[in-house]
Structures are given as C-alpha cells and as structure tokens.
Amino acid sequence: VADRASCGKPAGDLDDPDLRVATAALLVHAAAIDGDISDAERDKLQNLLKLRFELDDDGAKALIAQATAADDKAVDLYHFTHLLNGSLDGNERLRVIEMMWTIAYADGAVSEFEDNLIWRVADLLGVAAAERIALRHRVAAQGGNGG
C-alpha cells in the first residue's frame, strides 16, 4: 500500500478546481472535526496542498479558504466523495485517505471523531478497510508526516 499511495505529483484531472476544492474540503473537515484547527494541523494542511497541487503559499491559502467555505455549506461528505470517485483512480483515492491521516496525526493524536470521519470517507471512496488501516499505520510510523 505504501508505494501505491505515495506519488506526490498530481495525476489525472487534479488541475480541475472542483477536484482541488473537494480534496481540500475533506482535509479541512478532518482538521476541524475535533473542534478547532490547531496550528500544527493548519501548517500540515497548507504543506500537503502545496505539495499535492504544486501551489505556492498564497495558492494554498486561497484553496483552504475555498475549501472551508465549501465544507461549511456542505450538508454531508457525499458531494465531495462522489466528485472524487468520478475522477480519481484507486491510487489517487488512497492518496486522499493518506492525506487525511496525515492531518489527523498532525497534532500528535487521532481523536475518535477523526478516526470515524476517515473511516466514512474511505468507505465512500471505496477504499478497503485493510488499506485504510495500512495507511494509518504508515502515517503513524512516519510520525504523522505522510505525504
């Protein structure tokens, strides 16, 4: 699983603004689900988006702002996961789950809310439980520095 999910460069249609916002919105949701986005989570979120989408600081901040607004308006996660399912291959969907684990571990501990969220998103993205768990262990073993 480690090699399959570790490609850092964009692939497929990841230049599509809607896909960028959907991906970022899931990460914002993961960062905020335990009540507040910590500085560590915010830094990790910005760095992941810069790497994933080849953005500069301003581009990443703008994407986070768009994603936060989209997440605030969203009734559920389905809109984001449906969009990603229609455009991303299996490896790219694994990469989204890996990034979510990286956000969850950014502040040193995974809350039950983060764990449950990632389980639900993985299920909606068609990521098997074994792959989700393997990605969690991989990110944890890297000290929360997946990506």
Side-chain angles (χ1 to χ4, degrees):
V1 173
D3 290 339
R4 291 175 55 199
S6 63
C7 59
K9 295 289 184 197
D13 294 327
L14 292 182
D15 285 335
D16 181 327
D18 292 339
L19 293 180
R20 287 178 178 222
V21 170
T23 301
L26 291 174
L27 298 177
V28 165
H29 198 83
I33 198 165
D34 55 1
D36 191 30
I37 299 178
S38 70
D39 289 341
E41 287 171 323
R42 188 176 312 282
D43 290 347
K44 184 61 72 176
L45 174 63
Q46 185 163 335
N47 288 333
L48 280 173
L49 293 174
K50 283 169 56 178
L51 177 67
R52 183 67 172 147
F53 299 118
E54 298 179 344
L55 301 171
D56 60 15
D57 285 337
D58 290 339
K61 287 177 184 172
L63 180 55
I64 291 168
Q66 288 178 297
T68 301
D71 185 48
D72 288 346
K73 288 191 294 192
V75 176
D76 58 25
L77 303 169
Y78 180 77
H79 171 73
F80 303 128
T81 58
H82 180 71
L83 185 63
L84 295 175
N85 270 332
S87 302
L88 301 182
D89 67 21
N91 287 342
E92 293 165 331
R93 292 194 302 271
L94 288 173
R95 182 73 178 109
V96 170
I97 299 303
E98 181 183 36
M99 290 189 297
M100 291 183 76
W101 281 125
T102 301
I103 294 296
Y105 276 102
D107 58 5
V110 175
S111 75
E112 64 185 82
F113 299 112
E114 291 165 328
D115 186 52
N116 181 266
L117 171 68
I118 296 169
W119 173 79
R120 288 185 294 141
V121 171
D123 193 51
L124 289 168
L125 289 177
V127 172
E131 291 177 309
R132 172 178 47 85
I133 293 165
L135 287 168
R136 179 182 183 157
H137 292 307
R138 176 177 175 226
V139 171
Q142 295 174 341
N145 290 317

